[in-house]
Amino acid sequence: EDQVTQSPEALRLQEGESSSLNCSYTVSGLRGLFWYRQDPGKGPEFLFTLYSAGEEKEKERLKATLTKKESFLHITAPKPEDSATYLCAVHKHTGFQKLVFGTGTRLLVSP
Amino acid sequence: EAQVTQNPRYLITVTGKKLTVTCSQNMNHEYMSWYRQDPGLGLRQIYYSMNVEVTDKGDVPEGYKVSRKEKRNFPLILESPSPNQTSLYFCASSFGTNTEAFFGQGTRLTVV
């Protein structure tokens, strides 16, 4: 069965304290892995798409990497405004954008 | 501004009273989807549409209907809502089958 597991469920960091969020997946025929950010009361906002193992993408303090079994979202020197829930989703090979989402990691960055 | 607009944002209704949640996008996207988000379960796809008059079931379609008569609109219909449909609903659209999805602001539905 297709599954996406994110860890940890919640993470509390001090401002400037770097860390990584994990997204492990078991899905046949991966077409892409997506990272989204979701603020309370809002819809998910797109961050990155990774298509093949070894691929990396960066945006400001965020860097996403992909292996054959998992993806990491590295947060370097986070700021309080990085506090949000980070969602990982995988797109299967069959069917239109069959996205399977993880349950997310709630990140809180304290000043 | 490129956006996906859902209405209403909040809705409290009673069991069995038909309701429609509207969704509209202004990006000329062909692909649109509906998701529900529940604590501990994440986002689950209800229905999706690949183009006008082309729709198909997602993972949790029971109790829901959709229609796609125009490219920009994709309403979600609950013909006889039940309390287990209390949830946070999101509409999303995308340009291609494997491209980023743009999400609406969400509709928080409570069925009593």
Side-chain angles (χ1 to χ4, degrees), chain B residues 1-2 6 9-10 22 29 31-32 36 38 42 57 62 64 67-68 71 83 91 94 102 105 109 111:
Chain B
E1 180 189 354
Q6 293 178 230
R9 292 289 311 279
Y10 303 92
T22 64
H29 286 167
Y31 302 91
M32 299 185 75
R36 61 178 288 173
D38 301 289
K57 297 176 181 179
E62 295 77 20
Y64 304 94
S67 69
R68 187 96 180 269
K71 195 172 186 178
C91 178
S94 61
F102 292 80
Q105 290 286 76
L109 172 66
V111 183

Side-chain angles (χ1 to χ4, degrees), chain A residues 48-111:
Chain A
F48 303 108
T49 309
L50 302 167
Y51 292 105
S52 58
E55 190 174 359
E56 299 182 352
K57 287 191 177 173
E58 285 188 70
K59 180 180 179 180
E60 296 181 356
R61 295 176 292 282
L62 301 177
K63 179 180 177 180
T65 62
L66 180 66
T67 72
K68 288 186 178 179
K69 293 184 178 181
E70 59 191 349
S71 177
F72 290 94
L73 184 65
H74 306 279
I75 304 177
T76 302
K79 297 182 178 182
E81 53 260 43
D82 294 322
S83 298
T85 296
Y86 291 86
L87 302 172
C88 166
V90 297
H91 179 206
K92 289 186 59 168
H93 199 268
T94 56
F96 146 70
Q97 200 169 63
K98 171 66 175 173
L99 286 178
V100 180
F101 278 87
T103 53
T105 294
R106 284 181 286 109
L107 174 65
L108 177 63
V109 182
S110 303

